[in-house]
Amino acid sequence: MGDATLESPDPRRHAPSVAKLLDDARLRESISRVGRSIVKDTARVVQQAVRQGELAPEECVEAIIAAVPEHASSLRAVRNATGVIVHTNLGRAPLSQAAVDALVAAAGHTDVEMDLASARRAPRGRSTIAALRRAAPEAEEVHVVNNGAAALALAATALASGREILLSRGEFVEIGDGFRIPELLTSTGAEIHEVGTTNRTRLEDYARAVGPRTGFILKIHPSNFTVRGFTSDVGLADLATLGVPVVADIGSGLLVPDALLPDEPDVSTALNEGASLVIASADKLLGGPQAGLIFGSAAAVDALRRHPLARALRVDKLTLAALEATLAGPRTPVRQALELPLAELKERSTRFAEALRGHGIDAQVIPAEAVVGGGGAPGVALPSCAIALPSRLALPLRTGTPPVIGRVVRDRLLLDLRCVPQTDDELVLTAVVQAAVI
Ligand SMILES: *Cc1c(COP(=O)(O)O)cnc(C)c1O
């Protein structure tokens, strides 16, 4: 019996050991690029394939090299064909190439807190702050923290801890994943004084609520819902007449009015109307890295910047670099997606669908609507178009390389190329063709 096995050895029994594979000189590059433990995990998977007879033992090393991921983080770059421009689950704003380059350049040692001429300590983020001040000249001072929520927490802590924040009942907002702004605010030790009703709040309601315990009035832009019908609310200009600080959380990060999104608030207008502080996210319509931007009067911004909590919310050098480059650099991908002419998108999509039909795939261009997404402009639909495909392609496309995310509507998978850089069309096309053969 032993003889029979010796005469026709089963290659499955000869899977090389993981230790032996890792010693192979051909894997040195992979090990130095992503680290030993990732290559080891990949080697185990490949070894298993040999044991199951799916791979010859001598093919192991090549198979490992092919299967080792490109980088050591398991976050995967995906193509956003959802037509949702600022998609929270897909990481909100994609950075411009200028911002990516700046971020990579800042990844090593940098002069983030040193003046190179004098070798003295210099204020962290000074050039990013200067860029923000140029972009929003109405602001006397600017400060940057980790995100919009951090900016709100800092404002509440520095200006209203142990005191009251006046907030309209129509602005009790949940921002996603179960996080609610009023709960965030009270977690700092501030109290919320509810004003008005869900659908109607008037200036008199605020005026009655103002008292010696008022820290500030908070005005939150409803960035992810709309209220329609019998409604009224109070603008910043009126709130600013009540003699207490007004903090405007505008959410979306527009710095100046935007003709494409006329109902979206912006930093300059909010400051001109009398807000003491304006809070916004940097990774929504501004198109930058995750950060919370605080604009306002010198006194109000200084109170926040010098509060001990500010140190716990400060941004890193990568964010500072990417944010500065976003402000100085070319049109961001978010702006490009927002401004893409429909005719151009239709032409691209038509070519795309034709190429797919050439591969025998059922593909039609249909009218669709794109949206800004979690970043703002709720209820605003941008006329768009999409390539309609059989919905069975959704899963293989999502899990393919690169993953392509579309939208399934009534049994069809819709791919809206608005947020896909045109230079990636070929890549996405190949991904669809591959998904169709699975
Ligand atoms: C997005 C948003 C926030 C939260 O900002 P993050 O940057 O996500 O922390 C707060 N308020 C409004 C109005 C928003 O739109």
Side-chain angles (χ1 to χ4, degrees):
M1 160 198 142
D3 282 355
T5 5
L6 277 179
E7 273 163 29
S8 54
D10 184 344
R12 283 175 284 190
R13 302 243 177 112
H14 293 272
S17 74
V18 168
K20 188 165 169 243
L21 285 169
L22 289 178
D23 277 343
D24 194 298
R26 286 171 292 171
L27 290 182
R28 258 186 225 144
E29 190 278 329
S30 301
I31 291 172
S32 72
R33 187 161 47 85
V34 298
R36 197 174 172 83
S37 102
I38 289 175
V39 180
K40 196 170 173 181
D41 291 345
T42 314
R44 280 210 190 94
V45 174
V46 167
Q47 186 192 47
Q48 199 53 34
V50 174
R51 287 194 178 133
Q52 288 170 353
E54 295 160 5
L55 196 73
E58 61 275 15
E59 291 170 338
C60 275
V61 173
E62 289 310 317
I64 294 168
I65 291 172
V68 164
E70 227 169 280
H71 50 74
S73 153
S74 51
L75 272 184
R76 298 189 68 194
V78 307
R79 298 304 180 276
N80 172 12
T82 60
V84 180
I85 296 177
V86 177
H87 197 303
T88 299
N89 296 0
L90 301 181
R92 289 199 182 151
L95 294 181
S96 65
Q97 193 55 51
V100 172
D101 292 345
L103 183 150
V104 169
H109 290 131
T110 69
D111 61 348
V112 65
E113 287 189 29
M114 182 189 274
D115 173 52
L116 295 177
S118 64
R120 290 236 169 81
R121 180 169 188 164
R124 188 185 177 82
R126 56 205 178 281
S127 51
T128 307
I129 298 294
L132 281 163
R133 289 173 68 162
R134 274 195 301 277
E138 288 81 2
E140 283 174 17
E141 271 298 344
V142 185
H143 185 58
V144 184
V145 291
N146 259 320
N147 54 20
L152 280 166
L154 184 56
T157 309
L159 306 178
S161 189
R163 306 177 73 194
E164 287 183 351
I165 297 170
L166 273 46
L167 182 64
S168 164
R169 291 195 170 90
E171 296 169 19
F172 274 56
V173 178
E174 177 167 315
I175 45 182
D177 196 23
F179 287 101
R180 295 169 169 170
I181 293 181
E183 290 170 4
L184 169 74
L185 297 170
T186 52
S187 77
T188 69
E191 274 171 50
I192 303 283
H193 187 142
E194 300 185 17
V195 178
T197 63
T198 306
N199 58 328
R200 287 174 79 88
T201 300
R202 300 184 185 78
L203 185 60
E204 304 88 82
D205 297 321
Y206 284 100
R208 260 200 309 277
V210 168
R213 299 195 61 230
T214 305
F216 57 84
I217 296 174
L218 179 60
K219 181 87 186 150
I220 302 180
H221 176 59
S223 60
N224 54 9
F225 67 101
T226 53
V227 183
R228 286 167 49 188
F230 187 54
T231 65
S232 67
D233 70 344
V234 185
L236 290 172
D238 285 332
L239 294 177
T241 61
L242 295 176
V244 290
V246 178
V247 176
D249 172 18
I250 65 165
S252 68
L254 282 184
L255 299 177
V256 291
D258 188 328
L260 281 176
L261 304 168
D263 294 331
E264 205 52 23
D266 66 276
V267 173
S268 299
T269 305
L271 288 170
N272 284 335
E273 287 180 348
S276 315
L277 286 178
V278 180
I279 285 169
S281 303
D283 56 350
K284 295 178 177 173
L285 286 171
L286 187 67
Q290 178 187 303
L293 310 178
I294 303 165
F295 302 85
S297 66
V301 175
D302 268 350
L304 268 58
R305 201 178 46 197
R306 295 185 190 288
H307 191 280
L309 181 63
R311 179 60 180 80
L313 307 176
R314 81 172 192 189
V315 288
D316 76 338
K317 59 187 177 177
L318 304 182
T319 302
L320 290 169
L323 183 54
E324 183 181 354
T326 298
L327 293 161
R331 238 172 20 133
T332 63
V334 164
R335 277 242 80 80
Q336 290 179 36
L338 204 56
E339 293 171 1
L340 186 68
L342 182 56
E344 199 177 301
L345 183 63
K346 260 189 192 153
E347 203 184 297
R348 252 174 88 192
S349 306
T350 305
R351 258 182 287 143
F352 198 100
E354 266 165 19
L356 288 178
R357 287 196 295 271
H359 283 93
I361 298 167
D362 172 23
Q364 261 102 42
V365 178
I366 61 164
E369 281 178 348
V371 293
V372 167
V380 176
L382 306 163
S384 199
C385 66
I387 299 143
L389 299 167
S391 63
R392 67 180 169 79
L393 297 186
L395 176 64
L397 266 174
R398 270 200 322 272
T399 52
T401 305
V404 177
I405 323 292
R407 240 175 341 135
V408 175
V409 179
R410 271 184 255 107
D411 226 32
R412 286 195 296 183
L413 172 66
L414 305 187
L415 299 185
D416 184 330
L417 298 179
R418 177 178 291 278
C419 305
V420 176
Q422 187 161 4
T423 45
D424 283 349
D425 279 3
E426 206 56 46
L427 197 70
V428 174
L429 189 83
T430 308
V432 177
V433 172
Q434 267 167 8
V437 299
I438 290 172

